[in-house]
Amino acid sequence: MSAIIREREGGAAVGGIILTASHNPGGPAGDVGVKYNTGHGGPAPEGVTDAIYECSRKIAAFRECEALPEVDLSAVGRTDFVAAAGEAPAFTVEVISSTEDYCSAVLPCFDVPALRALLSRPDFRMVYDSMHGVAGPYATAVLVDALGADPSSLLNGTPKEDFGGGHPDPNLAYAEELVAAMGLTPEGTASDGAAGAPDFGAAADGDADRNMVLGRGFFVTPSDSVAVIAANWEAVRQFREAGGLKGVARSMPTSRALDSVASALGVPCFEVPTGWKWFGSLMDSAAVHGKTDYTPFLCGEESFGTGSSHVREKDGMWAVLAWLSVLAARNADTAPGALVSVSDIVTEHWRTYGRCFYQRHDYEEVDAAKAEAVMDRLRGLVAAFDGPRDAAGVSLTACDEFEYTDPVTGDTAARQGMRLYFGEAGRVAFRLSGTGSVGATIRMYVECIESDASRLTADAADVLAPFVAAALDLSGLPDLTGRDKPTVIT
Ligand code: CO
């Protein structure tokens, strides 16, 4: 959508209204979001949405034109609506090919011949799972038509109103068909089927803005994914032609794997609140706000969103093409049968930068008051903190409540989650989400940066256990909520 708003003939559109179902089915019982993106392509800033809301409160009447002629939505073209013969059109409806607009925005970001060469290798097999969302036609246009992938590499490519009964969330739990095909267990470890699995797998969510990247029997965490793309920026044509990245960013709960790469590259790395608009203002810093230019820009979030400054939204297909570009660059000279794999690339990344072990623990449908009590306990801890203290055997060395001031717009965001630091390596963050009638979800994000080469392939749960124990102790979560384990660990 961002590409369509920006690419209109005669300049960018004033804005775009998007009816989107990220992973909720449509239809009368469905839950379809309405989003408004402004002319720069990204989500509307708060000032605009607040003004729209104020206007909506003053709506006194609706008028409907009953005799409006039908427009054939299946055919590309323009229809002019003329009130009376000889008059100029009152308005025009243009049916466009959104896949065509998207291709013209995304393909120039990459080295198409290199991608075609990778996809034509007899020792390279990939699968792309559209999960019956809108990604299917884009996957056909980009992967098959433009890059020459075999049509059989597309899974669930026909968009369906009910997503074929599935839940199009690109993660280990919901993309079960792809996860099994890639030789993985739902826990993200190699299964018995790993040996015969394809070399590369990816999935999109219902509206194709998020992505999951998998290797043969290998799960790439979203936090690692953006860090690996940053480290391999030279493989991505849009970054290479601009002389490299000028800025990177991650949401606060996303692991600090990206920070290590940014520091090695000497580019600014921003830690922003959850929500794509915070990335958008950094991308527009120069073009819209006349400040320091951070583009080309790369950003990502632990919830499977990855993007760059070619548009102002997360872009799942872009992330997949960036990964294929990294594979293509690494395999430009490898002999048939000697493919450098996804797991080779990620484990080499860990050897260079250290591995950021990472888990998210979700406690779902917690009584809202009890969830608030956990956050209040942590706020009390921050207020009383006066120096390192022992917690379940590890040392809490710093803590705060995350707040953010946008360096470009000056917008501020308070109460964005609690952060606990355990020396340089360990960090645990807490956020509440979905506070509503069915209760709140407490998300606990646990990470540990490990540089010891002999520990790079250790079990994540083992590495993170001391920090989990310390965070549960300090937050009082088990006592305050009555929960002895999370609903789901991802
Ligand atoms: Co989405």
Side-chain angles (χ1 to χ4, degrees):
M1 184 65 196
S2 186
I4 293 167
I5 294 173
R6 289 159 66 91
E7 304 273 319
R8 289 295 80 215
E9 198 182 317
V14 171
I17 297 167
I18 308 160
L19 305 179
T20 176
S22 196
H23 49 249
N24 300 312
D31 174 10
V32 175
V34 181
K35 293 209 286 184
Y36 181 71
N37 284 26
T38 54
H40 67 138
E46 237 153 83
V48 174
T49 49
D50 287 350
I52 292 173
Y53 175 69
E54 278 311 314
C55 284
S56 77
R57 291 160 57 97
K58 293 178 198 134
I59 294 173
F62 287 98
R63 286 188 195 158
E64 226 172 298
C65 179
E66 284 176 2
L68 210 58
E70 290 272 335
V71 173
D72 180 3
L73 296 179
S74 68
V76 169
R78 290 169 71 100
T79 310
D80 288 331
F81 289 83
V82 183
E87 274 184 25
F91 65 94
T92 300
V93 172
E94 185 183 358
V95 177
I96 60 159
S97 162
S98 56
T99 50
E100 227 170 79
D101 276 27
Y102 180 69
C103 283
S104 63
V106 81
L107 289 173
C109 300
F110 301 99
D111 194 345
V112 169
L115 292 173
R116 290 187 69 94
L118 174 74
L119 267 47
S120 68
R121 280 177 75 124
D123 62 346
F124 181 79
R125 258 195 321 137
M126 70 167 284
V127 276
Y128 184 85
D129 188 351
S130 299
M131 300 186 82
H132 291 304
V134 302
Y138 296 90
T140 302
V142 173
L143 297 172
V144 176
D145 297 343
L147 300 178
D150 193 298
S152 70
S153 54
L154 305 187
L155 286 181
N156 303 317
T158 308
K160 293 188 177 168
E161 238 173 65
D162 64 349
F163 304 124
H167 183 90
D169 219 345
N171 60 36
L172 291 168
Y174 287 115
E176 44 193 8
E177 185 182 354
L178 176 74
V179 167
M182 290 303 297
L184 278 159
T185 67
E187 287 73 46
T189 54
S191 70
D192 294 342
D199 303 281
F200 182 81
D205 72 333
D207 57 357
D209 58 353
R210 292 184 295 132
N211 75 96
M212 175 170 69
V213 166
L214 305 171
R216 174 184 293 160
F218 192 89
F219 168 59
V220 183
T221 70
S223 296
D224 275 349
S225 174
V226 65
V228 169
I229 295 170
N232 291 279
W233 61 269
E234 280 175 282
V236 179
R237 180 179 164 193
Q238 94 192 73
F239 299 154
R240 191 174 63 239
E241 289 193 341
L245 289 162
K246 291 200 182 64
V248 299
R250 60 170 173 81
S251 65
M252 184 277 275
T254 305
S255 98
R256 293 166 295 166
L258 180 62
D259 304 36
S260 310
V261 178
S263 132
L265 294 176
V267 301
C269 178
F270 298 91
E271 180 176 27
V272 306
T274 301
W276 207 259
K277 65 176 180 176
W278 303 106
F279 295 132
S281 64
L282 291 164
M283 297 184 199
D284 281 332
S285 57
V288 175
H289 303 278
K291 299 194 174 163
T292 312
D293 191 3
Y294 299 119
T295 60
F297 185 83
L298 173 69
C299 53
E301 41 184 26
E302 51 77 35
S303 50
F304 296 88
T306 320
S308 91
S309 40
H310 67 298
V311 291
R312 295 292 179 271
E313 278 280 13
K314 45 190 169 268
D315 184 348
M317 181 61 79
W318 181 92
V320 167
L321 296 177
W323 262 95
L324 290 171
S325 298
V326 173
L327 282 161
R330 291 300 188 87
N331 287 291
D333 302 314
T334 53
L339 193 85
V340 175
S341 69
V342 169
S343 71
D344 293 337
I345 289 167
V346 177
T347 43
E348 189 195 308
H349 184 91
W350 294 340
R351 281 196 295 272
T352 308
Y353 298 97
R355 176 176 178 186
C356 213
F357 285 93
Y358 186 82
Q359 277 185 346
R360 186 175 102 187
H361 294 212
D362 288 356
Y363 293 80
E364 291 172 0
E365 293 182 27
V366 175
D367 176 80
K370 290 176 177 172
E372 281 296 347
V374 173
M375 300 304 276
D376 284 340
R377 168 80 64 95
L378 288 163
R379 285 191 188 100
L381 175 79
V382 168
F385 187 78
D386 59 359
R389 56 176 281 188
D390 181 74
V394 294
S395 179
L396 177 73
T397 51
C399 53
D400 66 4
E401 180 159 27
F402 180 55
E403 51 184 36
Y404 183 72
T405 301
D406 189 308
V408 178
T409 62
D411 289 351
T412 57
R415 295 188 152 223
Q416 293 297 309
M418 308 304 299
R419 299 184 296 189
L420 312 179
Y421 294 90
F422 304 91
E424 294 283 300
R427 186 184 82 146
V428 179
F430 285 85
R431 281 181 71 242
L432 284 194
S433 83
T435 31
S437 52
V438 292
T441 297
I442 303 175
R443 299 195 203 281
M444 184 172 96
Y445 312 85
V446 192
E447 66 180 273
C448 174
I449 304 170
E450 179 63 68
S451 302
D452 180 347
S454 69
R455 303 252 299 156
L456 295 180
T457 53
D459 183 64
D462 291 344
V463 173
L464 299 174
F467 305 105
V468 171
L472 292 178
D473 184 42
L474 291 164
S475 65
L477 188 152
D479 288 342
L480 291 170
T481 65
R483 299 291 180 89
D484 61 354
K485 62 176 190 318
T487 319
V488 60
I489 297 177
T490 49

